[in-house]
Amino acid sequence: MIAMQAGFANPVDDAQAAFRAVLDAIARPGRLAHFAAPAELPPGLGRAAAALALTLVDMDTAVWLSPACAPSADWLRFHCSARVAASPSAARFAFANAAECPPLANFDLGTNEYPDQSTTLVLEVPSLASGGSLALRGPGIETVEHVGIAGLPAGFWGQRDMLHELFPRGLDVVFVAGDVALALPRTTRVEG
């Protein structure tokens, strides 16, 4: 029998803190949010990704996992009662390593009537930093936020720019690196 890794040490308080952190990150694109890690990390997910999963995923949430994240499937089923989706387009949340990210158009982009039913992509990258070369503009940003996001696949920003034409449909992305996350809602414009 394989021992299951624990979830949050203090499930109620830790989940509330993580929920507040992700709400703040989405409301203020480009600001780094810090997450308390679960008591033990599951295989395949970093600290921030695991905290987001414990906070946002439940039995009504289909989750797609890239190959590097796939070892966390049993942990997600146990702690979140999540269903694992066979494809990115069938998922409400997707957890992927940046090197394995499929084309963004492969995810569920919602409909004009229900844009909120699109996939939220949690993308593990090597590092995130404030003050980088990317300039973010849009709702929740007073003028501009400069960030650095390392390790994205070639063509990522071009694919994301093409999704802007589909608004209100689209894809919200939460980049994670270690215990840090940076949200990039579909309404945020990226330059650089």
Side-chain angles (χ1 to χ4, degrees), residues 103-115:
L104 300 182
N106 288 9
F107 294 98
D108 185 343
L109 304 177
T111 64
N112 287 335
E113 296 79 19
Y114 299 102

Side-chain angles (χ1 to χ4, degrees), residues 7 34 36 43 53 55 59 74 77 91 94 118 136 138 148 162:
H34 297 269
T55 304
M59 70 178 116
D74 287 340
R77 284 186 194 103
S118 65
L136 308 183
M162 289 176 47

Side-chain angles (χ1 to χ4, degrees), residues 75-103:
W75 185 83
L76 288 166
R77 284 186 194 103
F78 180 81
H79 287 288
C80 307
S81 301
R83 299 180 278 117
V84 176
S87 69
S89 64
R92 288 293 159 250
F93 280 88
F95 292 83
N97 181 291
E100 301 173 332
C101 186

